[in-house]
Amino acid sequence: MSQSPRSPWIVGVSGASGTPFAASVLRGLLAAGESVDLVVSRASRLTLLDETGIAYRDAHWREDLAAWLARGADGKPHTFDVDVSGVRHWAAGDLAAGPSSGSYPAKGMLIVPASTACVAGVALGLSKDLLQRAASVTLKERRKLVVAVRETPLSGATLKQLVALDEAGAVVLPASPGFYAGATHIQDLVDFVAGRVLDAAGVPHRLYRRWKGELGGAGHPPDGSGR
């Protein structure tokens, strides 16, 4: 019996600060049984090295990714146990990669975190690297595109570009954690943002405690962050 064709979520990681957000989203996708195509931009590798001490290398991406996803938002290694076999890596400079074409089967794309430079490139359709090209393809194919912008304050130019992305059909999702879910740890705040990204994509998860219409519920622990 033939297997159903692979239909991944494309995850783009840009150079903005916030690599723990990307790690949490990736863990959530894999925990939900989703396939992932990963594009880590050149700029984001510098951010990842600065924020985690991990050098993400194309030739050794599996072990580097596994080490990254195992690390908690507080920097502690071996916090999570993650199977990365559901991930396919594409080099950021590979414009002949699968996600560069609309005929490549994908469910949609999540850009986490999204820098203002990335926002501008996607809004203007520059396609200077695979991340931007894949995002442009996602928009033209009318697939789900979630842009988790991580910057503050926002300039007028960036605000206009975010409006352009919204008008093009993207979900603009600032990396802004909520505090009603009873966060007691930095990982809880990171997981809240990641959970909202997965909500926008329609992917089930248990990363944060959902609002149930009851005041004072913040004293209860989240539904399950995986820690």
Side-chain angles (χ1 to χ4, degrees):
M1 186 172 65
S2 62
Q3 295 181 340
S4 58
R6 184 177 182 273
S7 182
W9 282 98
I10 302 167
V11 176
V13 185
S14 80
S17 176
T19 55
F21 295 128
S24 184
V25 166
L26 288 166
R27 287 192 297 265
L29 288 170
L30 295 173
E34 299 285 348
S35 297
V36 174
D37 276 21
L38 180 60
V39 182
V40 181
S41 76
R42 291 188 176 93
S44 69
R45 298 176 193 219
L46 296 176
T47 306
L48 182 63
L49 180 63
D50 184 54
E51 293 183 346
T52 70
I54 295 172
Y56 190 91
R57 303 159 294 175
D58 288 333
H60 303 280
W61 69 268
R62 284 185 180 84
E63 51 262 49
D64 296 338
L65 176 63
W68 176 25
L69 298 191
R71 184 177 294 262
D74 58 1
K76 293 181 180 179
H78 313 301
T79 300
F80 299 95
D81 183 13
V82 183
D83 179 4
V84 299
S85 60
V87 180
R88 183 172 184 177
H89 161 82
W90 297 98
D94 185 3
L95 292 178
S100 68
S101 173
S103 66
Y104 184 76
K107 292 181 178 178
M109 183 172 183
L110 316 175
I111 305 178
V112 189
S115 65
T116 54
C118 174
V119 166
V122 176
L124 297 174
L126 298 182
S127 296
K128 73 170 188 177
D129 60 9
L130 180 58
L131 194 159
Q132 291 184 13
R133 172 59 185 169
S136 295
V137 167
T138 301
L139 286 176
K140 80 179 183 69
E141 296 295 326
R142 301 297 190 265
R143 296 169 184 158
K144 179 74 73 176
L145 174 64
V146 182
V147 180
V149 60
R150 216 305 305 162
E151 184 60 88
T152 189
L154 295 172
S155 69
T158 298
L159 290 170
K160 291 176 183 177
Q161 290 154 359
L162 290 172
V163 169
L165 289 179
D166 175 78
E167 292 175 343
V171 175
V172 176
L173 196 153
S176 303
F179 291 83
Y180 62 81
T184 59
H185 189 278
I186 186 174
Q187 189 68 55
D188 298 328
L189 297 175
V190 168
D191 286 345
F192 181 91
V193 173
R196 297 299 288 148
V197 171
L198 296 179
D199 286 345
V203 176
H205 66 87
R206 296 184 62 196
L207 287 175
Y208 67 89
R209 185 185 66 83
R210 296 185 180 277
W211 176 251
K212 297 180 180 178
E214 299 176 2
L215 294 176
H220 301 296
D223 290 336
S225 65
R227 286 186 289 113

